[in-house]
Amino acid sequence: MNKIKKHPVSTLGYGFIDPAYIPKGKDEYHLRYKQNRSKKNYRKLTPSEIKLLEKNDNSSDDWSRVLVTDVFDVSLVKRCSFFGLIRIGKLEPFYHEFNDLRMPVGLYNSTIISCDFGDHVVVDNVSFMSHYIVGDEAMLVNINELVASNHAKFGNGVLKQGESESVRIWLEVCNENGGRSILPFNGMLAADAWLWSKYRDDVKLLEKFKSFTDKQFDTQRGYYGKIGERTVIKNCKIIKDTWIGSDAYLKGANKIKNITINSSPEATTQIGEGCELVNGIIGYGCRVFYGVKAVRFFLGSNSQLKYGARLINSFLSDNSTISCCEVLNSLIFPAHEQHHNNSFLCAATLQGQSNMAAGATIGSNHNSRGADGELLAGRGFWPGLCVSLKHNSKFSSFTLLAKGDFPAELHIPIPFSLVHNDVSNDTLLVMPGYWFMHNMYALARNEGKYRSRDNRPEKTQEIEYNYLAPDSVNEMFDALQLMKIAAATAFAKKYKKNIAEKDLLKTGEALLEASQEINQLEITATGFENSSRKCVLLKCGDAYHHFKKQIIYYGISQLLQLIKERKINNWQQLAKALPVKPETTEWKNVGGQLIPAPALHVLMRRIQNGKIESWDAVHEFYMKQSKLYARDKFQHAFASLLEVLNITAAQFTQKLLSQTLKQALLIKKEMTKNIADTRAKDYSNPFRQMLYDTDKEMEQVLGALKDNQFIKEQQTATDMFEAAVSAVMGWVK
């Protein structure tokens, strides 16, 4: 039975806060006055104004509680019922126009309880409006219910006075069983979510994170909902406990409850038809359209949810798009793309720049005794059409999965790999370095694409989009070691030789350097799949050389950047600028920002010992590391260059620099050629050509290859690289 309480109508609009929660010397409006900082001068209505209001079918339980400013056209308020304290800004005879919506300024056909209105607002047919503060020039049209409760938290994972822990909203990211749950808060970054979800063995650290979140917000009851200046809301059903920034646009939403919607003139946010959003936070400049269902979620700035997307218990970071898909229990770093229907993502941590193809089933706990499996993928994760994966699985950076149903859990430790399930031979095939050999066009193009789409209004974190960076280069070094051991093992097996464990690396290196011999071996790997079937590494010799070349190019490109920034023009200056003992230390991908592991450990120690006491201080650490990134990345790149050349810093001479510069230039030219050749395949492929009767028709549809803007940009970049190399060669002996 529904329990319906009866109260005197004279109390409607009053008693918003239980007296037990009102501070001594305050009244129920003390937080409302704090929130509304417009500094408007309000006055009471005159008797003639009250008479005209009543003539226009308006009513109030107490007209003395309806306050207005000096600029108040009483004719612009019609057929409204007012309860409690109402404060109305300027009303003058204008009409507002926004996207073909034209409405006169004023308050019409609405029931309004204890609200504040800015200047020149439009409020029409709001059936029930309670405890909101509305900014100047906002437009509210055709809304069934617009309500704020006295315990509104606006999507933040905090508690109000008198509430129990059982009502706190957690996001159960990364794992379906809640073992990596985090508390969302407005202003949260992907780095915060990752730290909180990752280091679960550090109980003290987790307690600090919870404390930081609680300290971000006032526990007092009685905050009003807020609608920012110039925000337009039309044809929506239920909006409850919602904080909406300025210049937002909400149209046709079914339900928006316990939500913060960040929006500003520079980064407007829009919510469209049929959306149902509950318990979440939406960043600046977002688009949420067409039947989206999101529950317990965080949507980063400049991101989109579209076409029936479902986002549940998940954190989707900045500059991302999910369309037509279901995403559950996931933590997704910036620049994620997931467009096609029937895609499914469950219990995963994706570390950015990922792209999900149609029909991909990424995550399945059906091979587990409990819903506690996880998937972890480094930057650039790209599963192909209809890929199906099992938990637990882990992938290095820039892994491409060919179409197929992978029957067992996977661990792919080699970056830039193509992974294929060879059903006919019951074999797992892994091609290391696939991108460098067969698709440099897409690999190189993605960096610029993601960077151009990065329209975050506040770039607290320096997000790395280059495929050559400390995380991927460290993985390449690990892969080089793995391939050496695998090559030596394959050689020993084929020729029935007994190679001592201490000699495996040396033997494997010799084999990989002599590419002719390596091509005669079937190189297998263990630990890549949770099965007894064979895993074959393809084209290891080619991958080995490509990895070394890319590391050399990485080191030299960073060195040239240092020379440019510091305006170095002789060897003596360069020698002084080079680190004496550089190290390829471990790095962590912290929400898309790459941070040296030692620096991250310092952060956590400072949090634990109380030297860092807030999320703001944590964010200051991210900003500091962002400013240090270029320096730290160069040190890593130089250390990587020395390691791949197998020399010390003292052995890095002018002569060696000259040789390496020439080598890097050849590598750069080869990369540019590979980019052009990759795209050229699309024009020579007979299965593409068959759709066009003439070459001219194909060019009209695809554009002429010679006019490809990205290829032109790459050639220009190569010319600039060559000029930089030539300039240095001019003063290197």
Side-chain angles (χ1 to χ4, degrees), residues 112-254:
I112 300 170
I113 300 172
S114 195
C115 292
D116 285 352
F117 298 95
D119 295 337
H120 303 127
V121 299
V122 173
V123 178
D124 193 353
N125 198 29
V126 181
S127 299
F128 183 68
M129 180 176 182
S130 173
H131 298 94
Y132 264 83
I133 297 171
V134 181
D136 297 344
E137 299 183 350
M139 300 178 68
L140 313 178
V141 181
N142 295 337
I143 304 171
N144 289 1
E145 182 179 337
L146 180 59
V147 179
S149 64
N150 66 24
H151 52 80
K153 294 171 277 290
F154 312 114
N156 297 294
V158 294
L159 299 175
K160 292 296 182 176
Q161 293 168 320
E163 291 187 321
S164 68
E165 279 290 333
S166 62
V167 303
R168 193 189 288 268
I169 300 298
W170 292 83
L171 301 190
E172 297 175 357
V173 296
C174 309
N175 194 301
E176 286 185 82
N177 71 357
R180 297 189 185 274
S181 295
I182 62 175
L183 293 175
F185 61 88
N186 192 27
M188 193 176 201
L189 299 173
D192 306 329
W194 182 79
L195 286 171
W196 201 333
S197 66
K198 173 62 179 173
Y199 294 100
R200 306 305 288 190
D201 55 336
D202 192 331
V203 175
K204 187 174 183 180
L205 185 70
L206 302 182
E207 290 175 350
K208 289 286 187 178
F209 289 154
K210 184 178 179 182
S211 172
F212 290 174
T213 305
D214 283 335
K215 287 193 296 185
Q216 289 276 102
F217 303 96
D218 191 347
T219 62
Q220 292 186 88
R221 291 174 177 254
Y223 280 94
Y224 280 39
K226 202 164 184 180
I227 298 171
E229 297 177 350
R230 298 173 301 279
T231 282
V232 178
I233 306 176
K234 69 175 185 179
N235 303 328
C236 294
K237 293 182 179 178
I238 299 173
I239 301 175
K240 183 174 182 179
D241 290 354
T242 301
W243 190 102
I244 306 172
S246 73
D247 301 277
Y249 183 28
L250 284 67
K251 55 175 180 176
N254 289 341

Side-chain angles (χ1 to χ4, degrees), residues 470-692:
D471 59 339
S472 57
V473 170
N474 281 352
E475 288 176 341
M476 280 197 278
F477 274 119
D478 292 341
L480 288 172
Q481 300 295 89
L482 189 154
M483 287 190 288
K484 289 175 186 178
I485 293 173
T489 303
F491 179 80
K493 180 179 179 181
K494 180 175 181 178
Y495 296 105
K496 297 182 174 55
K497 292 184 177 292
N498 186 17
I499 303 174
E501 186 174 346
K502 65 182 179 61
D503 296 327
L504 285 174
L505 286 173
K506 184 177 179 180
T507 303
E509 182 175 11
L511 288 164
L512 289 163
E513 292 287 352
S515 57
Q516 194 170 21
E517 176 66 37
I518 201 70
N519 292 334
Q520 308 305 315
L521 300 176
E522 182 183 64
I523 300 177
T524 61
T526 59
F528 281 44
E529 185 179 60
N530 186 20
S531 74
S532 58
R533 69 174 180 165
K534 185 163 55 178
C535 172
V536 177
L537 302 183
L538 305 174
K539 299 186 179 181
C540 274
D542 292 340
Y544 175 83
H545 291 290
H546 275 291
F547 280 6
K548 291 184 68 175
K549 287 179 182 179
Q550 290 294 323
I551 295 170
I552 289 171
Y553 173 72
Y554 168 65
I556 290 298
S557 62
Q558 290 297 309
L559 183 65
L560 291 175
Q561 184 68 23
L562 176 79
I563 291 170
K564 179 182 177 181
E565 290 176 354
R566 299 196 184 181
K567 299 179 180 179
I568 293 171
N569 56 21
N570 60 66
W571 170 255
Q572 289 73 24
Q573 288 180 336
L574 178 59
K576 289 181 181 179
L578 297 177
V580 178
K581 293 182 179 180
E583 295 182 6
T584 53
T585 186
E586 181 186 6
W587 285 64
K588 296 291 187 181
N589 185 341
V590 185
Q593 178 180 359
L594 303 184
I595 298 176
L600 189 64
H601 295 154
V602 170
L603 168 69
M604 291 191 288
R605 284 199 302 271
R606 295 185 67 199
I607 292 172
Q608 291 163 335
N609 62 28
K611 291 183 179 179
I612 287 180
E613 299 180 317
S614 68
W615 283 118
D616 287 341
V618 174
H619 294 177
E620 287 175 10
F621 167 82
Y622 301 151
M623 288 187 283
K624 179 181 177 181
Q625 289 301 132
S626 292
K627 293 175 182 177
L628 295 175
Y629 181 59
R631 181 205 70 180
D632 293 343
K633 184 177 181 180
F634 166 71
Q635 291 186 356
H636 179 272
F638 185 61
S640 300
L641 180 63
L642 299 180
E643 184 172 338
V644 79
L645 296 176
N646 196 25
I647 61 172
T648 65
Q651 294 171 311
F652 189 70
T653 62
Q654 291 191 64
K655 181 179 179 181
L656 187 59
L657 172 59
S658 176
Q659 294 172 352
T660 313
L661 284 169
K662 294 175 184 177
Q663 186 179 4
L665 180 57
L666 291 175
I667 294 168
K668 178 64 173 176
K669 289 182 176 180
E670 180 185 348
M671 290 164 58
T672 304
K673 183 179 183 300
N674 287 346
I675 289 169
D677 290 347
T678 300
R679 182 56 175 156
K681 292 177 184 177
D682 294 333
Y683 288 79
S684 59
N685 185 335
F687 283 86
R688 284 219 174 200
Q689 292 176 334
M690 69 183 180
L691 298 176
Y692 312 103

Side-chain angles (χ1 to χ4, degrees), residues 315-335:
F315 189 111
L316 179 64
S317 298
D318 304 333
N319 307 315
S320 297
T321 298
I322 291 180
S323 176
C324 311
C325 313
E326 183 173 26
V327 174
L328 309 178
N329 305 96
S330 293
L331 169 56
I332 303 174
F333 290 9

Side-chain angles (χ1 to χ4, degrees), residues 380-382 395-401 412 414 416-417 419 435:
F381 181 57
W382 199 321
F395 303 92
S396 291
S397 302
F398 299 95
T399 297
L400 173 64
L401 302 174
I412 308 300
I414 302 179
F416 304 101
S417 291
V419 183
W435 292 99

